[in-house]
Amino acid sequence: LYGTAQGTYYSISYYDPEHRELQPQVDSLLDAFDQSASLWVDNSLLRRVNANETDSLDAILAALLVRSNEINEYTDGAFDVRIGRLVQAWGFSFKTCEEPDSATLATLLEAARGAVVVDSGGRLNKEHPDTELDFNAIAQGYSVDMLAAMFDSLGVHDYLIDVGGEVIGRGGKPDGSPWRVGIEKPSSDSASAPEVQTAIALRDCSVVTSG
């Protein structure tokens, strides 16, 4: 299966004993994910939350935030999804980069340090109104986990799922061999055809090949 999601591609290979065509289910899940957590979709729930148009989170955004806060604690603050406005200021989003001055950075850092929590009713509480969330560091990998859970629930236990370089391999091929994933050779020439540096075997584990 092939398609686009989250501003990138997805590619899935699977072996189903019932020979089902699962493209509709995959596209439905990824579309729902984009409508919730994507910064590439103009009216996504995340874009509306960041603009303070709503504080009501769906299950996807709430789970992403809870998991992100856990990783933030585990990494002593190195992983932080509150940096949305900083990401934009440095030109990593939709704008060209103009190096922000120290006063602008101080204002953006203040917003990025405000506490963000989900209450028992699924509503987002932001200590600072200008705090904007950016889940790009976790969203693709989380969507891969959601797809894997969907395949498992359907009784499909041999699959390779790749969303923008976030990859999970479960089981293997019908001949018993593991899935093989290519790692591209780094190149400064973006126009050149991709060249595989090496290939790794993947069985019941995940790998990130992007970047």
Side-chain angles (χ1 to χ4, degrees), residues 12 15 20 25 43 81-82 90 97 129 143 145-146 168:
I12 301 174
Y15 293 95
R20 288 167 291 184
Q25 291 94 319
N43 199 40
V81 296
R82 298 173 298 176
W90 285 104
C97 179
S143 70
D145 287 342
M146 290 181 64
I168 185 171

Side-chain angles (χ1 to χ4, degrees), residues 30-188:
L30 289 174
D31 180 63
F33 193 90
D34 271 354
Q35 293 300 323
S36 174
S38 178
L39 289 172
W40 300 94
V41 176
D42 288 339
N43 199 40
S44 71
L45 179 56
L46 178 58
R47 294 282 292 271
R48 288 184 281 124
V49 165
N50 281 342
N52 293 321
E53 296 173 4
T54 181
D55 62 356
S56 181
L57 305 186
D58 63 6
I60 293 174
L61 273 192
L64 279 170
L65 183 56
V66 169
R67 186 66 177 136
S68 295
N69 285 341
E70 292 172 351
I71 299 171
N72 178 272
E73 183 176 351
Y74 179 78
T75 61
D76 293 328
F79 184 92
D80 199 326
V81 296
R82 298 173 298 176
I83 60 168
R85 296 190 69 203
L86 282 165
V87 170
Q88 295 170 34
W90 285 104
F92 289 106
S93 189
F94 306 101
K95 304 173 183 177
T96 56
C97 179
E98 294 181 7
E99 186 171 341
D101 57 36
S102 58
T104 300
L105 279 178
T107 300
L108 297 178
L109 282 168
E110 181 182 358
R113 288 168 178 155
V116 177
V117 295
V118 184
D119 67 21
S120 58
R123 296 192 176 277
L124 181 69
N125 294 314
K126 294 197 292 185
E127 183 180 20
H128 197 296
D130 290 336
T131 302
E132 293 190 13
L133 304 175
D134 184 333
F135 290 111
N136 282 343
I138 189 176
Q140 288 180 4
Y142 196 85
S143 70
V144 168
D145 287 342
M146 290 181 64
L147 286 168
M150 184 196 79
F151 276 95
D152 290 341
S153 71
L154 293 171
V156 178
H157 303 299
D158 297 287
Y159 52 76
L160 183 71
I161 302 172
D162 175 4
V163 179
E166 317 273 331
V167 185
I168 185 171
R170 184 71 49 82
K173 301 177 183 179
D175 62 4
S177 62
W179 299 103
R180 293 187 64 79
V181 176
I183 309 295
E184 284 186 20
K185 183 178 182 179
S187 173
S188 59

